[in-house]
Amino acid sequence: MREIVKFWRTKGYKIVLYLDDGIGGASTFQEAKVESSEIQGDLDKLCFLIAEDKSHWDPVQELVCWNSSIVLSEKAMNELKYWFTSLDGINESGATLSQLTKEDVSSIVVYCDASDTGFGGHLTMGSDFEQTESECYGVWNEWENKQSSTWRELETVKRILTKSVDIVEELCPSLSDWILSSKSDNTNRSYFNAYRRWEVFIKAQGHSALPASPIHVALYLTHLLQTGSSQHPVNNAVYAIKWAHECAGFTDPTKNSYVTSLQEATKRKASRAINKKEPISKDVLIELCDKYIDDSDLLIVRNLTMILFCFAGFLRFDEVSSLKFKDVHVYDEYIVLNIQKSKTDQYRQGNEVLIANGVTSACPVKMYLRYLDLLGTIEDKDFFLFRPIFRSKNVCKLIYKNKRLSYTSARSNRLSMLKSVAGEHVNIGIHSLRSGGATVAASSNVDDRCLKRHGRWKTDSAKDVNTCIFPRFGSNSGKMLYLRNGALLWKGQLVANRIGE
């Protein structure tokens, strides 16, 4: 429109134009009449759609202005009274402009237009480099197209803003899911339960749980200590409160010096002696497998297979119980276990554990093949490898339901078998198999990098916790076969290790 206005002004027309609204004038009625006619003709030639009901082509000397009397509805009067009485207070509660930073300001621009038939526009949010746009358009109904042009313009802005809010609301559930995905399901569950205990406690005292006051958090930790809680419940409460505030976007109250001091006090005063389980030795496993070398009971062979997998692959119970038939691949000299989910595999990259074929009765490869022979035909490889077993007369089979073996059942069965050889006095647990395999490998001078990779430990300290170095077993200890995809593959006399006689 700028070029058109320039053209009219070169002809001496006195005209001002703003977007699609304009006003012109002349010294006499006749000059104004001629200019109005020529401008109307030019717009028609340029194919502009003219809103006739909003246009005044006949020259006049008086126009309706803001000084004219208007009739306001009761709703409009209440709205004006609200802003008249509240504007000062709202401005006082806002931020001082001189103290605002770039991060505090969100740029929202609405581009819109409305006619007597329809409306359209879009909203732009964000900086010049990262913008999000929301479009909105439509047609007026019979009642709306009879309203004033000002009403239609404001209604257009309202509808664009309302649509952008709807889009944001639709994204809120997804945002929550992604935030919770930053932690594992078990961690979220643990933090949620700990937070609920904090919430029940503080609300009973008449205070807010979220956001929380640092002094209230410190008093809650004091309550836990005085009721006999150990270091773990106290730390779990701190991490849960921190997690809830971070998810909600509030300031973390656990950074307060009172809270951190109480955590340190917990380590000194409320810590309990660690009853660390002893690692299983290779001799115990060989004796155990020799004891059942001719046994064809499916329950016995299933438990032996789990025991040897945990020892040779440094597997946790959650890892071995989650194995499916499709996760085990058998080759001539070794097997490969695909660990789909691991405690230390936080980014779900997956992992391969290689176990070599051995020469003793405690070879996990031979025991696995023996287990498959007893199972017979595998109908679905998506089923769990180790499932509960049922007995009916002379039949012993895995249950037909795809259900993992429970921790309680596995612990009871495996520990009773191990203690039948090692003795009832030994202090062992499920984790003794993982630490036992790592200890045998570490005692054989296996390279630390290979040891960490095979055990899926992220740090040296985590690896050292699971190993207990014993004296070397002869001059032939520490022989390795090779590496495949960074995973250690041993071959030898016991399970996956070639350790001295």
Side-chain angles (χ1 to χ4, degrees), residues 51-69:
E52 297 293 346
D53 60 326
K54 296 169 58 178
S55 303
H56 299 276
W57 296 108
D58 295 329
V60 294
Q61 289 184 315
E62 292 183 1
L63 289 172
V64 177
C65 65
W66 287 109
N67 293 326
S68 302
S69 300

Side-chain angles (χ1 to χ4, degrees), residues 176-192:
S176 301
D177 292 340
W178 283 111
I179 290 176
L180 292 176
S181 298
S182 63
K183 307 288 184 185
S184 69
D185 292 340
N186 289 336
T187 302
N188 284 329
R189 192 177 300 109
S190 174
Y191 286 171
F192 177 76

